[in-house]
Amino acid sequence: MTVRRDFQESGRCRSDLLIGRDEALIAAREQLSRGGSVLLHGPAGIGKSTVLRTLAAEYGESARTVLRCSATESESHLPFLALADLLGLALDEVSAQLPVAQRVALEAALTGRGESTLQRDGLALRLAVLSALRALAAKGPVLVVADDLQWLDTASTELLGFAARRLGDDPVRMVFAGRSDGQEYDRYLRASTPDTLAVRVNPLTHSQVAALLEHRGYGGLPRSTVREIHRTSAGNPLYALELGRALAESPTPPRPGEPLPVPTSLRALVLSRLEMLSDDARRTLLVVSAGARPTLALLHEAGRENAEAETAQAAALGLLATEPEGPAVRFAHPLVSAALYAEASAQERRAAHAALSTAASDPIERARHLALATEGTDPEVAARLAEAAALARDRGAPSVAAALGQLAVRHMPADSVPSPDEHRLRAAEDAITSGDLDLARDIARQVLDGTAVPDERVRAWMIVIDTAGHAMTEVDSVFPQALADAGDDPRLLALIHYQLAWRAVLVEGDFAECRAEAARAAELAARGGDRHTELMSLSFQAQTETLMGHPDAPATIKRALKEPQDPEVTVHHNGIGSTRFRWLIMSDQLPEARATITTLLREVRRRGSVESEVHFLRGLAETELRCGHCGRALDLARESLRLARDTGIGEVASAMLAALAEASGGDVDRALALARESVEQAEENGDLIYLSRAQAALGYARLVAGDAPGAVQSLRRARELEHDLGVDDPARGRWQGDLAEALVRVGEIDEAQEVIDVSRAHALRLGRESVLAVLDRAEALVRAARGEHDAALAQLTSAQDRLAKLGYGLEEARAALALAELRTGPPGPTPAPTSYDEAARLFRRSRALPWLRRVDAATVPNPAPQPLVQQPQAVAALDGLAAMERQVAALVMEGATNREIAGRLFISVKTVEATLTRVYRKLGIRSRVDIVRLAAGRHTK
């Protein structure tokens, strides 16, 4: 197939296409030269693909293997297609090195043969992709190039992201490009390595647009026209070139000062160029626009006999681009496809879909085209669509299932069994699974507007409530209507009372009422023969009783574990497996808790349940944090937060847990930012259950940061919230020891002792041994403050030993630090470093970096104060920093956090940290505070 020269040559050979891209290229090249990965993002047509091709050409020469894919919107619903583009040609090279289960799953996914799905073979597929990349990397550097990430199918994104997060030091670099209109590119990062640098490709300036037009042969246009082109295109190079082309070819150019003789919509411009095509070529392009993955072979199967010549004609006009690595026929820009499809008549569109309904090989795609080719109701078409929706659901593509379900309804007779509303509700549930809450809510409202069947109405109300998440105040008015629709049907009432239990704790902050509603729901479900809802209600009741410290919790857990069980409830994030995990971790059974949550996480990943995966990632991170494995906990917490933000599910809880992990093993500034974010979001949602935990996380982060007054403020608030909730079990939030320690540091000794006494009474009643040991550690600080030195030493020694036996590594290290501080006495010019050796060893074992920094600070002799003006060499060194180092240092002087610096300079937090390390080394200093001091010294001169 013949294509325009524009699309045949790499960006490296087209210097005109790189006008205005120096900043993006420099940042990307610097990142790639360090062995990192790059994500290019920006709006459609901004030039991301051009920069991507340039980088791929430059760095592809040094790579042994280059893997490429470029997705399109029409194929984004088909699982594994992007993965097939990436690994299809390399499969033969690595398949022999994969374990049999992984090889079979991967081959089935890439070839479309067999029954491999992300839901059924999730773990095998994930490990297969990781193993394949590692096998290729073992033979030499690998470069992964992916364009149009916004159209990457969900399954491929999940598998690629799973592998990317685990590649570690393997020589695999990734260069991705994805569409974003602002800064909403975080969801693309889940498909890349954790250290990926996001580089925004920005609009061109007026002068850059003028230079681009000049290079492309449109330099004869008046300056006023060029200004209008820049204004109309908003600096988008694709739009600017299309406008320039049209104006240059127009027989009557506009007069100076007159508006452009074309609409601002690119669609209209594209349609004017379509008029240059023959009728047959336009029909062929319409089939291309309707298809999911059009190829010349597919076009022939669809009856387009002269596809080569007709697509060549379109390519000569710049409407089509071809990928040299594959046979796909692609439009130069998605707007071309959209404009062509929209301009076609309904009859023309139906004819295109009819042709594709027999030509397409995938059953999902055939069913979709058949539906779009059919007018009115047709039971056979509706049945095929329902089957296709079930297949998509089984493949782990719920968004596709939701779309197909809605298409099925369009072709379903009103008297169908199951009813059209049943299919609508299933589509809404698929939409919830895929994270499209707005769509689910809209479908449920549509059902409510049209049905009088109580079962369907109550089910629709439950969907409306589910889509509210933790912001249940938004759906308060739903409950009376749902109760009215349910009448006296115990099965329907059980569904409502289960949601009322959630409302009681999230909105009212009343655990006692929550427990009563959950018990009521379980009883109603049992009467109605709904074992699923009964088990979910019993699980929630048991979890609530566990958090309350209620004596009935063990008995309720036993009831929830009785047969018959429901496999879906067993692994649900609000099911009995999750409740049992919570009981284990609060009862200090850490090995059993880890085994339980690991099994749950593995199963929900196999099933493709995103919400449960987010929840169980948090649970595993919390377990590792309790065990003192701070590095592992930090990785898991960050993964949970990324997934939560990608899907909009559980963001408050994930930010809260990530704050705890960052404060223990990562960056304290980031911990504070995440904790504040979780507090603000919980307050905005009216989410009292997580507001208390978010305040506790903020208090802990402030304590680690050395802000004892701030820690007291946050932890007092957490205490008030838990008291109002009716939470008596101190193992729920585990903030009591931190509050007592912070109170000692601000001189509130009596209040600290009162916190310890009240918490100890509850811990003794419930047998919370680790809480008792932490409270003893805090009480030793109280005794030391009162001058009871020997008693404090004995209590600390005992607490450290008990925490070590229970397996609480971080708490053990904190006890060792308190012992060292007590033995050393107040900070002075000559501390005894050996007193801190044990604490340093334990913190190092836990990878508790913020705490380790506190040990380092305590063991550094305090020099006699020196006037800041007596540091001329260090001050002068500020001027010797590199440009990026000076920018970072300047923002530190303004008080910006690492995250804020990263956002302002469009670099990653990791790059900020690395830059600061170089600054410290060059200036001979140790911390951010020293930079501020140097700045103050400069100003005093």
Side-chain angles (χ1 to χ4, degrees):
M1 174 177 177
T2 304
V3 297
R4 289 179 58 85
R5 179 178 177 83
D6 299 9
F7 303 109
Q8 287 178 309
E9 298 177 342
S10 70
R12 191 177 186 184
C13 303
R14 295 295 310 276
S15 60
D16 55 313
L17 292 179
L18 298 179
I19 290 172
R21 298 297 171 231
D22 290 346
E23 183 179 355
L25 283 169
I26 289 171
R29 286 167 177 156
E30 181 181 355
Q31 174 74 354
L32 290 169
S33 66
R34 291 194 297 264
S37 296
V38 172
L39 166 66
L40 304 165
H41 66 98
I46 203 66
K48 304 179 297 296
S49 298
T50 299
V51 179
L52 183 79
R53 287 196 298 267
T54 301
L55 294 170
E58 291 177 357
Y59 290 90
E61 296 175 358
S62 61
R64 177 188 178 274
T65 306
V66 180
L67 307 175
R68 302 173 184 266
C69 75
S70 182
T72 62
E73 181 179 10
S74 58
E75 69 188 26
S76 61
H77 65 287
L78 297 176
F80 307 125
L81 283 184
L83 191 68
D85 283 346
L86 286 171
L87 294 177
L89 298 179
L91 183 60
D92 291 340
E93 183 179 352
V94 300
S95 61
Q97 302 174 51
L98 304 181
V100 174
Q102 295 180 24
R103 181 171 69 251
V104 170
L106 185 59
E107 288 177 349
L110 298 187
T111 62
R113 297 190 296 270
E115 298 182 355
S116 180
T117 69
L118 189 58
Q119 182 175 356
R120 181 180 296 109
D121 302 317
L123 182 59
L125 280 172
R126 289 175 172 89
L127 293 177
V129 175
L130 177 59
S131 300
L133 289 174
R134 283 177 170 164
L136 291 171
K139 300 178 181 180
V142 176
L143 180 67
V144 182
V145 183
D147 202 0
D148 287 320
L149 282 188
Q150 70 275 6
W151 306 134
L152 221 64
D153 64 274
T154 303
S156 297
T157 301
E158 162 62 22
L159 293 172
L160 188 59
F162 176 89
R165 292 190 294 272
R166 290 161 176 81
L167 285 170
D169 295 330
D170 292 294
V172 179
R173 288 182 292 185
M174 298 181 172
V175 187
F176 291 168
R179 185 182 302 176
S180 67
D181 293 324
Q183 296 297 321
E184 67 280 19
Y185 55 83
D186 282 355
R187 59 194 177 96
Y188 299 146
L189 293 175
R190 65 178 175 180
S192 189
T193 56
D195 63 343
T196 297
L197 174 65
V199 178
R200 180 168 177 78
V201 182
N202 292 311
L204 301 181
T205 65
H206 170 263
S207 60
Q208 290 166 347
V209 167
L212 179 62
L213 293 170
E214 177 73 23
H215 276 283
R216 295 298 293 271
Y218 310 130
L221 296 171
R223 291 185 179 180
S224 59
T225 302
V226 174
R227 271 198 308 273
E228 281 300 299
I229 290 175
H230 177 256
R231 184 189 66 79
T232 303
S233 68
N236 186 300
L238 175 63
Y239 297 179
L241 286 173
E242 294 298 330
L243 289 168
R245 185 199 305 271
L247 287 169
E249 296 173 353
S250 173
T252 55
R255 297 178 182 178
E258 289 184 348
L260 297 179
V262 293
T264 57
S265 168
L266 184 62
R267 172 186 169 185
L269 180 59
V270 169
L271 290 178
S272 69
R273 293 170 59 197
L274 289 175
E275 294 175 357
M276 303 170 68
L277 291 173
S278 65
D279 290 343
D280 283 341
R282 290 189 65 171
R283 293 190 187 96
T284 295
L285 286 191
L286 179 59
V287 175
V288 173
S289 70
R293 191 176 177 82
T295 63
L296 289 174
L298 178 64
L299 293 175
H300 282 299
E301 289 291 328
R304 309 312 303 168
E305 298 177 355
N306 298 317
E308 287 87 349
E310 290 160 356
T311 53
Q313 181 186 3
L317 292 170
L319 297 171
L320 288 180
T322 60
E323 296 291 340
E325 296 83 5
V329 180
R330 302 181 185 276
F331 285 97
H333 191 280
L335 286 177
V336 181
S337 175
L340 176 63
Y341 190 87
E343 181 67 9
S345 67
Q347 182 178 357
E348 290 172 328
R349 291 196 292 266
R350 285 195 298 272
H353 285 296
L356 288 168
S357 68
T358 58
S361 59
D362 185 83
I364 293 177
E365 194 60 22
R366 287 199 302 270
R368 184 178 75 89
H369 286 304
L370 180 61
L372 296 173
T374 304
E375 289 187 277
T377 59
D378 189 318
E380 182 180 350
V381 172
R384 287 184 58 179
L385 284 165
E387 292 171 0
L391 178 58
R393 196 176 299 119
D394 188 48
R395 287 183 179 181
S399 61
V400 179
L404 292 169
Q406 293 177 90
L407 278 175
V409 171
R410 288 174 51 184
H411 297 284
M412 193 174 292
D415 58 353
S416 297
V417 179
S419 71
D421 281 332
E422 281 287 330
H423 285 274
R424 287 191 181 95
L425 291 169
R426 188 56 196 264
E429 291 162 354
D430 286 329
I432 290 178
T433 304
S434 69
D436 195 343
L437 303 185
D438 290 338
L439 175 60
R441 189 183 302 109
D442 290 344
I443 295 174
R445 293 291 186 186
Q446 182 182 358
V447 171
L448 290 166
D449 288 341
T451 185
V453 178
D455 186 277
E456 293 173 348
R457 290 188 62 80
V458 171
R459 189 173 165 192
W461 286 127
M462 296 306 98
I463 290 171
V464 171
I465 294 171
D466 278 339
T467 58
H470 280 202
M472 294 192 77
T473 54
E474 299 176 359
V475 292
D476 260 352
S477 62
V478 165
F479 288 99
Q481 300 175 74
L483 287 168
D485 286 328
D488 57 0
D489 187 329
R491 184 174 54 86
L492 299 181
L493 287 171
L495 295 172
I496 301 169
H497 281 278
Y498 176 75
Q499 294 289 1
L500 283 170
W502 278 104
R503 184 191 178 280
V505 69
L506 292 176
V507 178
E508 302 297 335
D510 190 336
F511 266 71
E513 179 66 16
C514 170
R515 174 178 176 269
E517 288 288 1
R520 175 67 172 155
E523 187 269 331
L524 286 165
R527 281 170 45 196
D530 182 356
R531 184 61 173 165
H532 178 276
T533 302
E534 181 187 5
L535 289 172
M536 288 293 293
S537 301
L538 285 172
S539 299
F540 191 24
Q541 179 185 346
Q543 182 174 347
T544 304
E545 291 172 348
T546 299
L547 295 175
M548 294 173 67
H550 197 283
D552 289 350
T556 307
I557 291 175
K558 289 181 181 179
R559 288 178 60 201
L561 286 170
K562 286 183 178 179
E563 296 294 338
Q565 284 292 310
D566 184 326
E568 183 180 339
V569 175
T570 302
V571 299
H572 192 276
H573 56 278
N574 289 321
I576 189 57
S578 179
T579 300
R580 181 172 181 273
F581 159 73
R582 183 55 51 192
W583 172 263
L584 289 169
I585 198 171
M586 292 176 67
S587 302
D588 299 326
Q589 301 178 59
L590 296 182
E592 294 87 346
R594 182 194 285 113
T596 298
I597 198 68
T598 300
T599 300
L600 289 169
L601 179 59
R602 181 169 57 247
E603 179 61 21
V604 298
R605 279 176 165 167
R606 186 185 70 81
R607 291 168 175 259
S609 177
V610 175
E611 184 171 4
S612 293
E613 182 178 359
V614 171
H615 185 96
F616 293 147
L617 276 170
R618 280 200 312 272
L620 184 54
E622 181 182 354
T623 307
E624 298 294 356
L625 203 57
R626 298 274 176 259
C627 294
H629 303 156
C630 298
R632 172 69 173 151
L634 184 58
D635 290 341
L636 289 163
R638 287 173 174 173
E639 184 178 358
S640 174
L641 182 58
R642 281 195 297 269
L643 190 56
R645 285 178 169 166
D646 286 344
T647 59
I649 295 172
E651 292 182 79
V652 174
S654 294
M656 175 275 298
L657 200 284
L660 291 172
E662 291 283 356
S664 298
D667 182 273
V668 178
D669 288 340
R670 179 166 171 76
L672 290 166
L674 286 169
R676 292 189 184 102
E677 174 189 326
S678 62
V679 168
E680 292 169 2
Q681 191 63 48
E683 288 176 336
E684 182 178 332
N685 291 342
D687 182 353
L688 297 178
I689 190 170
Y690 272 110
L691 180 57
S692 63
R693 299 202 65 185
Q695 287 286 5
L698 180 56
Y700 174 69
R702 284 173 163 170
L703 182 64
V704 177
D707 178 13
V712 169
Q713 178 185 8
S714 297
L715 294 170
R716 278 174 174 164
R717 178 61 178 146
R719 184 188 191 189
E720 294 169 1
L721 287 165
E722 286 207 355
H723 178 270
D724 293 342
L725 285 167
V727 175
D728 292 331
D729 193 334
R732 189 244 181 182
R734 296 180 181 267
W735 46 262
Q736 296 82 5
D738 292 335
L739 175 55
E741 179 177 338
L743 287 166
V744 170
R745 295 187 183 281
V746 299
E748 298 289 346
I749 308 302
D750 292 340
E751 184 182 348
Q753 186 64 58
E754 187 265 338
V755 168
I756 293 168
D757 291 342
V758 171
S759 302
R760 180 179 282 139
H762 291 302
L764 284 169
R765 175 175 61 84
L766 296 167
R768 305 305 193 214
E769 292 298 328
S770 64
V771 174
L772 290 169
V774 168
L775 292 173
D776 279 356
R777 185 188 69 204
E779 189 172 49
L781 300 180
V782 172
R783 287 181 169 178
R786 289 173 173 169
E788 303 171 18
H789 189 270
D790 292 341
L793 283 175
Q795 194 168 19
L796 274 173
T797 302
S798 172
Q800 181 183 349
D801 182 61
R802 287 151 57 203
L803 288 166
K805 290 178 180 178
L806 289 167
Y808 283 77
L810 181 58
E811 300 295 352
E812 176 194 359
R814 289 181 62 182
L817 175 60
L819 269 171
E821 291 172 338
L822 190 57
R823 287 168 177 158
T824 304
T830 56
T834 54
S835 302
Y836 290 89
D837 287 349
E838 175 73 357
R841 181 185 68 82
L842 293 173
F843 282 131
R844 193 175 294 111
R845 182 187 67 182
S846 294
R847 285 189 60 192
L849 301 182
W851 288 102
L852 193 58
R853 294 185 191 107
R854 285 186 55 170
V855 173
D856 291 341
T859 57
V860 173
N862 294 332
Q866 297 289 332
L868 291 173
V869 294
Q870 296 181 10
Q871 304 178 41
Q873 293 181 345
V875 173
L878 287 170
D879 298 323
L881 298 176
M884 176 62 73
E885 295 166 351
R886 285 199 304 274
Q887 291 182 64
V888 171
L891 290 172
V892 169
M893 295 172 192
E894 296 177 10
T897 66
N898 288 1
R899 186 176 180 83
E900 290 168 343
I901 293 170
R904 290 172 67 175
L905 297 182
F906 299 101
I907 58 178
S908 68
V909 173
K910 188 171 182 179
T911 300
V912 175
E913 294 169 349
T915 304
L916 280 174
T917 299
R918 295 195 300 271
V919 170
Y920 298 157
R921 185 173 62 250
K922 290 183 179 181
L923 299 182
I925 58 178
R926 296 175 60 88
S927 69
R928 301 164 61 94
V929 175
D930 294 330
I931 295 179
V932 178
R933 288 174 176 165
L934 289 177
R938 166 179 287 183
H939 295 321
T940 60
K941 284 193 164 189

